[in-house]
Amino acid sequence: MSNTKPHKAVRLLDIYNYIVGKYAKHRTEKLQAMLVVTDGRPSNSARHFKAANFDYCTFSGVFTTRNDKALVKHSGLLCLDFDHLQNVQKLRFQLLQDEYFETQLLFVSPSGNGLKWIIQVDITQATHADYFLSVANYLKATYNIEVDKSGKDTSRACFLPHDPQAFINPKLV
């Protein structure tokens, strides 16, 4: 991915509207069709297609450039990424019902076989990396699910797909 300069800062509601809207529908369908051929695992061509054609955001903060050292302001959000799930809908339901973390945004990943879960964190209480490790350990113990380790990076880019069933916390609407 060569685009590391932010275009603009947006609200979570803006991201939700983008995801449920039709803007990324065609490219999401095309990527998912590419993945059917490779049994859901991204090939080099699928990874290149995603990097070249999908918009992305950095949920955890605003940056002058997409690099942890260029953080302007932390958003108080943590994005957890679950890949290659056997049952996307089951985990979706479990996360929405979680007793400890209130879902801010939840959507199916561009591949169609993963989830992106956005929750609030209080970085005055612990670092981004510490929150990531704590929540990842909690999810492993509670749901026996592994989180993509790349989420520990504050500047982690999250590609934005089309998901008309995405969930947004009603408090944000």
Side-chain angles (χ1 to χ4, degrees):
M1 178 178 354
S2 60
N3 179 13
T4 61
K5 296 287 184 192
H7 174 64
K8 64 180 175 178
V10 295
R11 300 171 301 143
L12 213 49
L13 183 58
D14 298 322
I15 298 296
Y16 168 78
N17 287 330
Y18 178 99
I19 291 169
V20 298
K22 303 254 191 250
Y23 187 75
K25 187 175 193 289
H26 175 72
R27 70 190 83 178
T28 301
E29 290 169 348
K30 186 171 180 177
L31 175 67
Q32 290 175 1
M34 293 170 81
L35 295 173
V36 168
V37 175
T38 59
D39 197 25
R41 300 285 178 175
S43 64
N44 285 339
S45 61
R47 278 191 286 276
H48 177 70
F49 176 80
K50 186 168 57 169
N53 292 284
F54 279 76
D55 292 323
Y56 72 87
C57 70
T58 52
F59 281 109
S60 294
V62 175
F63 301 83
T64 55
T65 187
R66 196 174 55 80
N67 180 306
D68 283 3
K69 294 177 182 169
L71 178 66
V72 174
K73 182 179 186 212
H74 199 284
S75 65
L77 298 172
L78 182 65
C79 177
L80 297 136
D81 184 8
F82 309 94
D83 296 322
H84 314 296
L85 298 172
Q86 296 298 314
N87 190 333
V88 171
Q89 291 308 318
K90 179 182 175 187
L91 183 59
R92 181 182 194 279
F93 177 79
Q94 290 173 317
L95 295 174
L96 288 173
Q97 302 301 317
D98 190 85
E99 65 180 303
Y100 294 108
F101 297 101
E102 185 176 17
T103 300
Q104 300 304 302
L105 182 64
L106 180 66
F107 58 95
V108 175
S109 63
S111 67
N113 65 5
L115 286 170
K116 310 286 186 175
W117 188 43
I118 317 315
I119 60 171
Q120 280 186 311
V121 294
D122 181 357
I123 60 159
T124 65
Q125 301 299 311
T127 67
H128 177 93
D130 287 342
Y131 264 110
F132 176 82
L133 292 172
S134 295
V135 175
N137 288 336
Y138 164 78
L139 292 167
K140 178 67 175 165
T142 306
Y143 304 112
N144 195 31
I145 193 78
E146 295 286 337
V147 177
D148 184 329
K149 304 286 187 252
S150 63
K152 69 178 175 11
D153 300 333
T154 310
S155 61
R156 174 70 174 162
C158 179
F159 291 110
L160 302 175
H162 171 69
D163 176 7
Q165 302 303 314
F167 170 88
I168 190 162
N169 190 312
K171 296 175 186 173
L172 300 173
V173 179

